[in-house]
Every structure is written in C-alpha cells, then in structure tokens.
Amino acid sequence: MARNVYSAIILFILDFVIAYGSVFLGKYVQTFLPGLSLPDAFLLYKAMIFASILVGCYYFQDLYAWRYMKRSAEVFSSILLSGGIILILLAAVYYVVPSIGLDRNILLVAIISSLFLSYLFRVAYLGLRSSDIARIKAVILGDGENARFLISELVSVLHPVEFEGYIGEENPKISVRYLGDVSGISGIIDDIRPDVLVVALDRWRGKMPIHDLLDIKLSKCDVTDGPSFYEDVTGKILVEGIRPSSMIFTHGFLRTNMQVMLKRVFDIFFASLGTICAFPVMFAAAIAIRMDSPGPVFYFQDRVGRDGKDFHVIKFRSMVEDAEKNGPQWASEGDPRITRIGRFIRKTRIDELPQFINVLKNDMSFVGPRPERRYFVDQLKEHIPYYALRLHIKPGITGWAQVNYPYGDTIEDSRQKLKYDLYYAKNRSLWLDIVIIFQTLKVALKGRGAQ
C-alpha cells in the first residue's frame, strides 16, 4: 500500500516536471523557426497552467492508480484519451483568457513530448513492478488456516508479494512450497533471504520461537504479524480470525483533542464550501426530482451514528414514494424502485449532497464510514466480527471504503467494506481525508460503484 502511494506521488511530480519543461522545450524548438520566436514574459506561468491541467487529467484518467493499469496497451489508450481531454480543456481556458495561451508550435511540441515521456515512464514502471526486484519476498511462519487465508488473499497481480514458502508442519492445502519446520527457521531465513517473515500462526501458545524471531528481527529481515502485513499491503484491516490483542495493542484509532478540533474545522470548511459550490446542481436536481415522479424532493432516514446514536440523514429522493413499504432492503442492480432521475443522481453521488447539512449539524463528518440503518446494523453485528468498532467514529458522506470498493448489497460486501473502514479508523488524518475527497470527485465523475 505504502509503495503504491509513494510511487504515485513520485510519478505525479515527474509528470508535472516533464510537462513544465516540455513548454520550454517547445520554445527552444521555436527558435529554429524563422520569424516565429517572440519573447514571452509569461511563459513561466503558461507552463505551470499547462502542467497543472495535464496532471489533473491524468489523475481523473486513473493514470496514478496502478490497479487500473496492468498492460502497456491500457496505459497507451488512457494517455491518448488524456491528450484529447487536455487539448479540449486548454482550448476552453485559452478562449476565456487568451493572454495565457501557448503558441501553437510550442503547444504541439509540449503535448507530444509530455504524452510520450509519460507513456515511457509508466511502461518502465509496469515492467519494474512485474520484476522480482520490485516484489516483496515473504516467508510465512504458520501452517494452518491463517497462513492459507493470508496467501490466498495476497497472491494476485495487484499485490506485489512473492511468497517464498511457509515454515511449520507440512500441509498439502497450502499453495506455496514447504520450507521446513520451526526448529530450522534461522537456517531457512539465511538461505532464502526474504524481505519479511510473516508470523501467521493459528495458535501462538507454545509454538512461538521467541529467541529465533528476535535474532531474525535484529540481524536478518523484518518480522511482522499477519494482520499488520495484510494492512500494509492492501490498505485494509484483516478481520477474519483477528485476535482482540491485535486491536488492543496496535497503534492508531484514538485521536487527540487537537486532532478532533482540526477535523471539525476541516468538516465545517468543506461542508460550507461544498454547499456553496454545489447549490446550482442541488437546485437543478430538486426541480428534476419534482418533475420526474410524485413525492417529496428530500428523503429523511434514520441512520446509526457515532457511538450507536440515531440521527436523521438527509438525501435527495432517488426512489419511488413508499419504496420500503414491505420493509427495509438494500438497493440492488437494476432496482425497479429507483426512478429515472434517481438512477442518475445515485451514479453521480448528487443524492448525497444534502448531507452537507448533516455535517454542519455535527451528525456526520465529511469523511468517515457510511452510516447504516439500525435494521442492517443489528444484522451485520451478528454476522461480522468487530463490525461495531466502526460505530466509534463519526460517519461520513464519503469514506475510504467508498473509494476502494464498489457498491455492495450483501453481508460479504459489508465485511469487505469493514476492512477499509477499520483501516481508516486506525490511520485517519487530514491528509488521508483530502486524498479520499479527491478520489470521491473522480469516482463521482466516472460514475463508479453506485446502484
């Protein structure tokens, strides 16, 4: 997870520098065209505008999200589409403010060189990610269900982990190779030289080679437990088979009074800004809802908030009136209860905009786990371990689960979302909130994950 974030930041900086420099490259090339090279005192600012638009388009085309890029052909099509969008946006900006427009020859050189170099960097990085150099070499200490689950979850293209094998008793159900028993753990680590030894024992009492693990930790490789490794790689917290002590003694979760105050200031600022900026959209949505189907414009529903307290969430009505006359139920794909306008406002997240009022009332935060109804909360608490932990933080309009997992209408979907919610609860910060907000804008514009 951390590697993906850092690589995205590095690539973002590289793209900006390349785009910025390509404008000056275009100016240099123009000097060889007689009569066309004129002094430009604003070239510095024009280059900055060009670079900002380019990286913005790349971001919304998922060119910093590696899970959407697995082959060079996908990278090429995304960059090509980004180039078209960049030219359209630049044309619009230059039409409104002609003075910041780049000369046609400079723009041509800048756009071609930027797109070409961006493509080369990404293809090179994809090659590096698939090579042994970039993968995390891991050895599992464990031979039971925890080891099997961890391996099955992390052996995929999306997770740069190479399991060299497992240590313990031989178990044919485990898909990676058997390396030996615990008595030879030091020698095995010396031979394999992994990046990390992952402890994933089903039963720790009497099976933990403490002295060997200390020696390995201090002189050979990193040593971590299964849940922590899973969290670092996936960006979510493992809830299957997790021990209570893993939650009790781990860092994170609790916030200081200063952090709570800053979070509230952050919420008020973004909710107020969002209300002002989105007012024309909300006004148009209200008219469309009224014209589309009979019933009220707004929909008020009881949801479970922080510490299990109920509150009224405000949304634009997206379903027919009396949609739940037969009792509460999750929305599903192709749900006949959803109106024509309702389908659009759900896909674009417009139906969530009135919840800015809930944020200003302090019922919700801007970012946090999505609030559920009491009926579903009671069911999910019975079926999913640690589900109630998400109720210890304020719910949000958007969240880490919403930008990482598609809309779900099953208990298993809720289990997967809980992993992301607990990761956010543990690692939440203003920086993570800002990342989630930008991700939400992209998800809304692309219409991903809604029913």
Side-chain angles (χ1 to χ4, degrees), residues 31 44 48 53 56 67 76 123 131 139 143 153 161 206 215 262 302 311 323 342 354 377 399 415 422 433-434 436 444:
T31 59
L44 186 103
M48 193 169 294
I53 290 176
R67 58 180 169 172
F76 181 77
V123 170
S131 69
V139 168
D143 50 36
E153 284 282 298
V161 180
D215 178 61
L262 289 175
D302 286 339
F311 71 98
V377 168
R415 188 192 308 275
L422 292 183
D433 284 358
I434 291 170
I436 292 171

Side-chain angles (χ1 to χ4, degrees), residues 371-391:
E372 275 294 353
R373 282 175 280 179
R374 176 71 61 185
Y375 175 83
F376 294 125
V377 168
D378 291 340
Q379 284 186 338
L380 295 170
K381 284 165 67 176
E382 291 180 7
H383 291 89
I384 303 176
Y386 305 104
Y387 186 83
L389 291 179
R390 73 194 296 276
L391 302 178

Side-chain angles (χ1 to χ4, degrees), residues 211-267:
H211 296 294
D212 288 328
L213 291 179
L214 282 173
D215 178 61
I216 291 168
K217 177 80 172 181
L218 295 174
S219 61
K220 298 176 182 179
C221 72
D222 190 21
V223 178
T224 186
D225 64 319
S228 298
F229 186 68
Y230 181 89
E231 178 184 340
D232 290 340
V233 172
T234 65
K236 52 187 179 180
I237 286 182
L238 184 66
V239 297
E240 292 88 350
I242 192 172
R243 293 172 293 109
S245 59
S246 297
M247 303 293 286
I248 294 170
F249 297 115
T250 188
H251 293 289
F253 292 105
L254 193 62
R255 304 290 98 176
T256 65
N257 290 334
M258 177 61 71
Q259 289 171 321
V260 172
M261 184 187 72
L262 289 175
K263 170 78 166 173
R264 182 58 187 152
V265 171
F266 176 92
D267 287 340

Side-chain angles (χ1 to χ4, degrees), residues 130-311:
S130 62
S131 69
D132 292 336
I133 299 173
R135 298 183 74 80
I136 303 169
K137 291 176 62 177
V139 168
I140 295 281
L141 173 57
D143 50 36
E145 289 303 313
N146 285 346
R148 283 183 59 199
F149 177 82
L150 199 64
I151 292 167
S152 65
E153 284 282 298
L154 299 183
V155 175
S156 73
V157 178
L158 297 180
H159 303 131
V161 180
E162 184 71 36
F163 287 106
E164 299 292 328
Y166 69 97
I167 299 171
E169 296 180 6
E170 193 166 3
N171 184 351
K173 294 182 179 179
I174 296 180
S175 59
V176 298
R177 64 174 172 151
Y178 176 61
L179 299 174
D181 61 30
V182 175
S183 62
I185 187 171
S186 291
I188 292 170
I189 296 301
D190 284 335
D191 292 339
I192 300 294
R193 296 186 179 277
D195 298 311
V196 59
L197 173 64
V198 183
V199 181
L201 296 166
D202 286 359
R203 293 175 299 278
W204 292 53
R205 188 180 298 276
K207 290 192 173 186
M208 182 75 73
I210 298 296
H211 296 294
D212 288 328
L213 291 179
L214 282 173
D215 178 61
I216 291 168
K217 177 80 172 181
L218 295 174
S219 61
K220 298 176 182 179
C221 72
D222 190 21
V223 178
T224 186
D225 64 319
S228 298
F229 186 68
Y230 181 89
E231 178 184 340
D232 290 340
V233 172
T234 65
K236 52 187 179 180
I237 286 182
L238 184 66
V239 297
E240 292 88 350
I242 192 172
R243 293 172 293 109
S245 59
S246 297
M247 303 293 286
I248 294 170
F249 297 115
T250 188
H251 293 289
F253 292 105
L254 193 62
R255 304 290 98 176
T256 65
N257 290 334
M258 177 61 71
Q259 289 171 321
V260 172
M261 184 187 72
L262 289 175
K263 170 78 166 173
R264 182 58 187 152
V265 171
F266 176 92
D267 287 340
I268 292 173
F269 173 78
F270 274 97
S272 302
L273 181 65
T275 302
I276 295 169
C277 294
F279 181 78
V281 176
M282 291 194 287
F283 184 73
I287 294 174
I289 292 167
R290 174 65 73 182
M291 295 176 64
D292 181 53
S293 62
V297 169
F298 296 103
Y299 180 58
F300 297 86
Q301 191 177 68
D302 286 339
R303 296 288 178 99
V304 181
R306 184 178 182 181
D307 297 327
K309 297 177 182 177
D310 290 343
F311 71 98

Side-chain angles (χ1 to χ4, degrees), residues 76-89:
F76 181 77
S77 61
S78 293
I79 286 196
L80 205 61
L81 182 57
S82 295
I85 297 172
I86 291 166
L87 290 174
I88 292 171
L89 289 177

